[in-house]
Amino acid sequence: MSALQHVQYRPRWLQRFVDEQIDGPKTFGAHGVKKARLGLPTTLLALTLWGTITQVVQALLWVHDVTTLPRVLAWAAAILLVAVDRPRTAPVGILVISCSLLLSQLTLTFYDIHTRSLIGIFRGCDVLAALLSISFILYMPLRDPHLPIEGIGLAFEKPTHLLRSPEDNLTLWQFMSVSWMSPLISLGSARQLNSEDVWKLSFEFQHRLLHDKFRELGGSVVRRLLSANGLDLLILSTLGAVEALCSFAQPVLLQQLLRAMEEVSAPRSKAIAFAVLTLLVRLAACQSSVFSLWFSRRSYERSRGEMITMLYEKTLSRKIIGELALSDKPHMSEGNVDGPALDSDTVRDGLEARPKDEQRPIGKLGLYIRRIFWKPSIKEDIKQAASIGKIYNLMRNDVYEVAQRFWEFQSLIRVPLSLVLSVVLVWKLIGWPCLFGVLTVAVAQIVNALTTRILLRYERKRRAVTDQKLKKVTQYVGAIRHLRWYGWQDFWQEQIMQARQQELRLFVVTGLLRTLISVSNYLASDLFPVAAFFAYTILAGKPLRIDIAFPALQLFGMLENSLREVPRLITVLLNAKIAVDRIEDFMIEPDKDDAMIRSSLRGRPQIKLQNATFAWPGTSHQVLHNISLDISVGLTVICGKVAAGKTALLQALLGELEWQGGDVALPNDCVGYCAQTPWLQSMSIRENILFTSPYEEGRYRRVLEACALIQDLAAFKDGDLTNIGENGTGLSGGQKARVALARAIYSPAKILLLDDPLSALDHQTAETIVRKCLCGLLAEGRTVVLVTHRTVLCQQVAKQVIELSEGRCRILDRDTVPSLDLSRVVSSESADKTKRDQQDKDNEDSVPEKFMDEEKRAHGGVKATVYWKYVKAGKLKWWAVLVVILALHRLVEVAETWFLKAWGEAYDRPQERVASGLFNSLPSPEVNARPWLLVFFLVVIVEAAVFWMAQCFMIVITYTAGRGMFKEVMNRVSHATFRFYDVTPVGRLMNRLTSDIGTVDGNITDQFEDAAFLAIAWVSSIAIIASVTPVFLVFSFSLTALFVLIFRRFLPTSQSLRRLEMVSLSPLMSNFGALLDGLTTVRAFRAQRSFQDRLIAVTDAFQGMDHFYWSLQAWLMYRFDALSACSTFVLTLLALYTGVSPGLTAFVLLAASGFVRYTHALCKRYGQLQMDFVSVERVVELLHLDQEPPGPVLPPAWWPSSTGDIVFEDVTVRYAPHLEPSLRNISLRIPAGSITALLGRTGSGKSTLALSLLGVVKPECGRILIDGVNVANVDTQALRTRITFLAQEPLLFPGTLHMNLDPLSKHPRSECAAVLARVAGTDHQHWTLDTEVEAGGKNLSQGQRQLVGLARAVLRRSSVVVLDEATASVDAETAGRVLRVLREELVG
């Protein structure tokens, strides 16, 4: 019976989370199945039977040998396992038995003098049987042969993205040695890897399966993660225990080796035996480390992927709650995401509420102590909904924080076990004196408990501040064009830098607290031997000899590592707890409520509302009151003044508002929704229109014609296959509106909700849309709800017209419908259709092709200039001081080891004073050990002090480099050419400003410190080895060459994979950003599943690069660790055969072991530096962005005057050299003080002409003069602050209306209030300067946003005001009034 059949008897958390189904006949024929079933077990049975027979013969011939019976039983157990289980895959149990038998036989053969007689022959046969069994098992598959093998890459064939990873079909040896990575390594050594060169993830890593299984689990996030990864955690626990035992076996074996060397009568073979055992233990630890890395990475990658897909799915379903929605609820602390800070007033109020005895001094002290050791339960009654910045932070940081604990899970077993074993072994070595050392540890942990409590508080604050910084950066990157149009980018950048400074300040505080914990542990671990040796030599009166001192020193080093790990483990677990709480808070946010949707209307294009009342999510404030509507097949027009509730009504019909009463009947089907602000994806026009629908040629062509897109597509080089850039950057406002409309029309939806798609269109195009699209064949049998101010275009064809006013609705008579007079202007184009068509054909502008550039990847190693840039950012003087401190630290370490050697050897010369050496002034330790202890104490104090200084300087360097590089990057991004924003997705830029900057802020400086220290330690080890014997030196250089050769084979592939990983992260960020912007549209089209699938595909790509990168690390680690073990063994043999003293041998062995360890670590650290510096490299690339020329001419303060004309002289403009011109040979004059209307079809270049006045696009030829000054030569900041440009979608900031009107505080508050009152009019009397505005003005309607933008234009009182469809979303009455205000202000 196969082991797979026993799965049903295991607890669920111990079962494999995802598993392939056995489907033998599909892949193998009947003969193949029979062969797989019988061939492997039969061969294995024969081998075990052979071993059993030889062992039984030995038992019969040598009945007095008591060791034969256990071996006979072991072989019998192996036969039983093979016979019962009939394994088709590598049987781990039989492998363990075979290895144990091999080891026992080799040990007996080594020690038994009868090995040359008959018993030696049988033992040789037994050894051969064990070896053959082990070899056969190693080459057995890990995967059931009955499973299908199609689509799986072979271990030694060229890798390709079309096949799954070879991990799905490996032998045990290929898995143990990671040799399956060889094809990828060879390819990466030959050339730069591309994504097509890397395999797909193996079956159990694919996120479609993981997500589907994970979402079926119940309970909290932690419980679900533990349930999904329970088997891996059990394996990691076992491996952690094995690694701990292997680690602590080494000092015990070292002690026995030194004792064997000291015993004159002992044969050399005894010492060699302990050296061999040490080699075997280290090889076992090497193999265990490879297994640990693979299983920990599996749990890490799967838990990270599960959380990313979980967060995305939650984002798809969560209720959209505005940032100000909860402001009217009690007990809310604005600006604090994780909870209210424990300020002095809170503490004072809490104390006053306590019993009187707790208000007394002693009671207050007790209360303070309790607060230190027990976390107070302080939570918000109601938490704020997650902002965009927080969602980014959850996905990028908190998910990593939690998943990292799964990666390091074996530390939860290994570290405590190591701590216990180290104390036990130290006790066994020196006895009760070790308790004095334990006391130093206890004191250090008390100090750490106090420090950790404070650290946790500041860590929460730091994360909240990081959320705010990310929120500001996200808003800044999304609005950078608008900010630069107004010349406000410096102001906003200053706000980001203030948030950054606050983040760095808290980073320094938390860094200092972590340093305090580290120094406390370091000092405790150094004082441990001082206290223990004091008790051992002074109180117990025992000599500190070589075989005690050096094994104790090695154990103390292990104890030191354990002590460092324990508080770090506690800290990271507390940080993970914070991250989990934040994720849990997000997961329990309310979902969109579909309770009001009646399934009885499924498939019926009908909407019914009876006395329905709705409110914005998260508030009790009603936005729609007693709405009664019956909307059926046909065109229904919704009209009304600005902020009357038109968009809110559509949101209610989509189920996005909170239903508070009345009867509602909505179909639970796909709805074709067209948002007021078009939401498009960075894809081709065709892909945007199709969205999630299949391509039908005839229907698609009819939609293009009905939406008047045929002529626009003809202007594109690639037609409808043209990539339009992020959110339609490459299209005009009208084109974006028509593509979004085409998406809704093309969908199979029976209900279409269209939110003012006509506002951005010229009159003739709008007429075409109404006639062909809204009233044509494509609208037959469909319910069309159209929100518009241009009612004159559709009032005669509408089935009903509904007017909204202050959240209430009424049905109008068609003859009394208000219309927008401005749209009735008939241009000369529409007067003669034939002439217009000919003009369009001759003069249609070519829209610039704004493709998204592929993200660039550097080739080869990270260039030295990148390292130098980072070093300079941290200041050369601080780096110089750090290197000196690290050299001093290494010197003190060597002095400590040499001092213990001298101390141990001094017992062999019990004279009054030591005869010679560095410590010849000290008395013999047998006479007086106190001076030795005093010197030892001073050495460790100096060592701890030097360590503390190094850590402090690391914080200084990290702070300096992080602050300087972030400021420089933000400055370069803020003044880049506008073309950079056109071709760079927001997600890609956000990836560099968050993920890569996070690496710069993270442990990259620690990596530098470690590399510098390891280099110094490596050189010092060479010097020590060379001082003893040249043989050591020759071998050391040979060993170094081997390490370098292996590392050079590893490095190119690792660099390629790391860069691919960073590039593949950008689409992940973009997917989150795109979803947050277009969530309402996605849900209306019922496209959640499609977007979830896309996210899963992107996550697969990102995690795949990460997975194979770390598999490559396992390949390197296996070879480095095995080589380290073998080289240490050879160095030990060299020491045994060179005849040096035991004390010097121990000293040199420690130095040689250190040399191997430092060589190994230095190669790995250099590789890690190379990987981490890929992020620095990507940041440095931003420092070389093409910058917009600032302009050499600073105009006088009066420029432009109210009497200066605007003149275009034969102007030709193109967005990029490889694109067609957007404006050709434009010559015109706009008189000063005039109001000039610029007419033209959508996409004809109107916005391009307007932006050319701001210098956004410079003329290729010709001149643009404003008041006699060439715009191309004017200082861009002065130009944009003196000319007001108002886009159709105005930029609004989070804050008050006052801040939005006058962010630079240039105008008196009274003047701002007066302008706001004039523009807002009587319809918005509730507006004040203190009215809160969300980011992007999301709590305002589109018309209200345009009113705020118009008020801003009036307040600036520029001589030149450019309005780009600035009243398109405003009703006729309001538009007329605002335009009159503008005329009056311009005349004034």
Side-chain angles (χ1 to χ4, degrees), residues 283 1039 1042-1043 1046 1118-1128 1156:
L283 288 176
L1039 181 63
L1042 283 175
F1043 273 116
I1046 294 172
Y1118 178 78
R1119 283 146 184 80
F1120 268 19
D1121 286 353
L1123 183 58
S1124 298
C1126 295
S1127 58
T1128 304
V1156 173

Side-chain angles (χ1 to χ4, degrees), residues 588-844:
I588 62 175
E589 285 189 16
D591 286 340
K592 176 187 171 185
D593 185 12
D594 290 332
M596 61 179 161
I597 297 176
R598 294 183 181 174
S599 59
S600 61
L601 292 178
R602 180 181 293 274
R604 296 171 57 188
Q606 188 174 4
I607 299 171
K608 289 186 178 180
L609 300 153
Q610 186 66 38
N611 296 323
T613 300
F614 299 90
W616 289 113
T619 73
S620 58
H621 177 67
Q622 296 178 353
V623 65
L624 296 173
H625 314 276
N626 301 321
I627 301 295
S628 295
L629 294 175
D630 187 351
I631 303 175
S632 56
V633 174
L635 176 63
T636 297
V637 174
I638 308 290
C639 62
K641 291 186 176 182
V642 172
K646 303 181 294 297
T647 296
L649 178 60
L650 296 191
Q651 295 287 314
L653 299 182
L654 290 171
E656 299 290 350
L657 299 191
E658 287 192 358
W659 174 40
Q660 295 196 335
D663 295 327
V664 177
L666 302 175
N668 191 18
D669 290 316
C670 168
V671 174
Y673 175 62
C674 181
Q676 189 171 22
T677 301
W679 174 76
L680 301 174
Q681 301 175 84
S682 182
M683 298 176 174
S684 68
I685 295 174
R686 177 183 294 184
E687 289 172 318
N688 271 282
I689 294 174
L690 297 181
F691 205 43
T692 58
S693 302
Y695 179 70
E696 297 177 22
E697 177 71 24
R699 178 177 175 81
Y700 179 73
R701 292 297 169 189
R702 289 195 298 273
V703 169
L704 291 181
E705 183 179 359
C707 294
L709 284 169
I710 299 293
Q711 191 172 1
D712 296 271
L713 296 180
F716 289 95
K717 178 182 178 181
D718 297 314
D720 64 343
L721 299 180
T722 300
N723 189 304
I724 61 175
E726 196 162 47
N727 208 20
T729 302
L731 303 178
S732 69
Q735 288 170 332
K736 286 193 284 187
R738 282 179 287 137
V739 170
L741 176 63
R743 176 176 59 200
I745 298 297
Y746 185 82
S747 72
K750 295 296 184 182
I751 295 179
L752 305 180
L753 303 181
L754 312 178
D755 195 353
D756 207 7
L758 306 179
S759 62
L761 307 181
D762 62 275
H763 187 72
Q764 190 62 37
T765 304
E767 284 183 339
T768 302
I769 295 292
V770 172
R771 184 177 69 255
K772 292 185 177 182
C773 183
L774 303 182
C775 302
L777 293 176
L778 291 169
E780 283 187 358
R782 305 170 91 171
T783 300
V784 182
V785 180
L786 173 67
V787 171
T788 184
H789 293 295
R790 305 175 74 169
T791 52
V792 68
L793 294 173
C794 46
Q795 64 185 23
Q796 298 304 318
V797 295
K799 185 175 180 179
Q800 62 178 338
V801 179
I802 300 171
E803 182 185 36
L804 279 170
S805 177
E806 296 181 355
R808 302 178 186 276
C809 71
R810 67 188 180 97
I811 299 176
L812 300 178
D813 188 332
R814 294 183 186 179
D815 297 330
T816 63
V817 175
S819 59
L820 183 59
D821 295 335
L822 294 176
S823 63
R824 294 176 181 170
V825 177
V826 178
S827 67
S828 57
E829 292 183 72
S830 58
D832 186 349
K833 185 178 184 300
T834 304
K835 181 178 179 181
R836 184 202 74 226
D837 291 342
Q838 184 63 38
Q839 273 189 321
D840 287 343
K841 184 176 180 180
D842 294 340
N843 299 327
E844 180 66 27

Side-chain angles (χ1 to χ4, degrees), residues 545-558:
R545 296 190 178 276
I546 294 297
D547 63 330
I548 296 295
F550 280 94
L553 190 64
Q554 195 169 1
L555 285 172
F556 292 155
M558 294 180 174

Side-chain angles (χ1 to χ4, degrees), residues 210-469:
L210 293 173
H211 176 67
D212 290 343
K213 292 278 289 184
F214 189 75
R215 67 201 306 266
E216 295 173 1
L217 302 176
S220 65
V221 173
V222 173
R223 183 174 180 179
R224 293 162 68 188
L225 289 171
L226 292 176
S227 179
N229 299 279
L231 181 60
D232 284 344
L233 300 184
L234 178 63
I235 295 172
L236 289 171
S237 300
T238 305
L239 292 172
V242 170
E243 289 181 32
L245 291 173
C246 289
S247 297
F248 284 94
Q250 295 178 46
V252 174
L253 292 172
L254 175 63
Q255 182 188 27
Q256 298 302 319
L257 174 65
L258 293 175
R259 284 181 177 175
M261 292 180 65
E262 286 185 329
E263 294 178 12
V264 180
S265 59
R268 185 178 292 171
S269 60
K270 183 177 180 180
I272 294 175
F274 287 117
V276 171
L277 285 175
T278 303
L279 172 64
L280 294 176
V281 167
R282 292 195 62 177
L283 288 176
C286 163
Q287 194 63 70
S288 177
S289 298
V290 171
F291 290 154
S292 291
L293 180 59
W294 194 87
F295 284 105
S296 62
R297 284 299 303 180
R298 183 170 76 171
S299 61
Y300 167 78
E301 291 171 22
R302 297 208 303 193
S303 59
R304 180 173 67 175
E306 288 157 357
M307 284 187 286
I308 288 174
T309 54
M310 175 190 71
L311 290 176
Y312 196 82
E313 185 178 47
K314 175 63 180 182
T315 305
L316 281 166
S317 63
R318 70 192 280 261
K319 188 178 293 184
I320 303 176
I321 301 177
E323 297 172 24
L324 303 177
L326 300 175
S327 60
D328 60 339
K329 298 192 177 183
H331 310 298
M332 286 300 300
S333 176
E334 293 186 13
N336 193 336
V337 176
D338 293 309
L342 196 62
D343 57 20
S344 58
D345 292 336
T346 305
V347 174
R348 184 177 61 252
D349 295 341
L351 286 173
E352 290 173 355
R354 299 272 181 182
K356 290 185 177 180
D357 60 335
E358 290 192 359
Q359 297 183 35
R360 297 169 185 169
I362 296 178
K364 291 180 180 180
L365 178 60
L367 178 63
Y368 178 72
I369 293 174
R370 284 198 297 273
R371 279 179 175 160
I372 289 176
F373 288 97
W374 289 276
K375 177 181 173 181
S377 179
I378 300 175
K379 287 189 175 288
E380 296 172 331
D381 293 339
I382 301 173
K383 290 183 177 289
Q384 284 185 329
S387 64
I388 293 177
K390 182 172 181 178
I391 293 175
Y392 269 123
N393 206 9
L394 287 174
M395 189 272 293
R396 186 64 188 91
N397 295 324
D398 294 280
V399 163
Y400 279 66
E401 189 74 50
V402 177
Q404 191 79 13
R405 306 292 72 80
F406 286 86
W407 187 357
E408 301 171 352
F409 183 81
Q410 69 267 37
S411 299
L412 296 177
I413 304 298
R414 181 179 53 80
V415 172
L417 182 60
S418 298
L419 188 59
V420 172
L421 286 176
S422 60
V423 172
V424 169
L425 290 176
V426 170
W427 180 284
K428 185 177 179 181
L429 189 65
I430 65 176
W432 60 264
C434 71
L435 294 177
F436 283 77
V438 172
L439 182 62
T440 63
V441 177
V443 173
Q445 297 313 308
I446 293 174
V447 173
N448 287 342
L450 300 173
T451 310
T452 302
R453 175 73 185 118
I454 301 170
L455 173 62
L456 187 59
R457 186 188 309 168
Y458 279 99
E459 184 64 24
R460 287 180 181 274
K461 292 182 179 179
R462 186 188 68 81
R463 288 173 181 268
V465 169
T466 300
D467 284 345
Q468 293 301 313
K469 185 205 76 173

Side-chain angles (χ1 to χ4, degrees), residues 1211-1288:
V1211 172
T1212 297
V1213 171
R1214 71 173 81 222
Y1215 281 90
H1218 65 282
L1219 300 177
E1220 291 296 319
S1222 296
L1223 298 175
R1224 292 190 184 91
N1225 307 118
I1226 300 296
S1227 296
L1228 60 88
R1229 176 181 294 273
I1230 300 175
S1234 66
I1235 297 177
T1236 302
L1238 190 61
L1239 303 177
R1241 191 178 182 276
T1242 57
S1244 59
K1246 302 185 297 295
S1247 294
T1248 302
L1249 189 144
L1251 290 174
S1252 66
L1253 292 173
L1254 296 174
V1256 172
V1257 282
K1258 301 295 176 65
E1260 181 181 80
C1261 62
R1263 296 191 306 166
I1264 302 175
L1265 304 176
I1266 299 180
D1267 201 4
V1269 178
N1270 190 346
V1271 169
N1273 298 328
V1274 176
D1275 179 81
T1276 53
Q1277 183 67 13
L1279 174 66
R1280 292 164 191 163
T1281 53
R1282 300 185 192 185
I1283 293 178
T1284 297
F1285 175 77
L1286 188 57
Q1288 183 178 351

